[in-house]
Amino acid sequence: MSAVKFIVIYLLIINIIGFFVMGSDKKRARRRAYRIPEFTIFSIALILGSAGTLLGMLFFKHKTKKPLFFFGLPVLLMLQLFTVFLLWQLPVRFIFI
């Protein structure tokens, strides 16, 4: 498997996980059950799951009043996209790509 294919599959999986974690936490909040810690949710976003987590936040209308999520997730997503853009522009090509 090529590195690019591996990266794309990883991004899809981690963003799907981020989306469903937000949905699961929203469902747990409604039932007043044990919640998923904010640290866990934000950690998923940090490991490149910010797009899915942000979509989950908006779709499920969950944690939209928390500044860390309302402002932090979009900023994190922009930083991650900018970093990927800069890495893509590097003239160095790695052997595994």
Side-chain angles (χ1 to χ4, degrees), residues 12-28 36 41 44 52-53 55-57 59-60:
L12 283 172
I13 290 170
I14 197 66
N15 281 288
I16 289 169
I17 290 170
F19 182 83
F20 284 110
V21 163
M22 288 299 269
S24 175
D25 193 51
K26 176 68 173 198
K27 188 175 182 178
R28 291 170 186 220
I36 298 171
I41 297 171
I44 292 169
T53 307
L55 284 174
M57 181 183 79
F59 183 80
F60 297 110

Side-chain angles (χ1 to χ4, degrees), residues 14-15 17-29 34-57 62-63 66 68-70 73 76 80:
I14 197 66
N15 281 288
I17 290 170
F19 182 83
F20 284 110
V21 163
M22 288 299 269
S24 175
D25 193 51
K26 176 68 173 198
K27 188 175 182 178
R28 291 170 186 220
Y34 178 76
R35 303 283 303 279
I36 298 171
E38 289 183 357
F39 178 80
T40 302
I41 297 171
F42 213 78
S43 294
I44 292 169
L46 280 172
I47 57 171
L48 300 179
S50 57
T53 307
L54 179 61
L55 284 174
M57 181 183 79
H62 186 52
K63 299 215 179 276
K66 298 243 179 196
L68 176 65
F69 287 91
F70 187 76
L73 284 178
L76 181 61
Q80 289 173 349

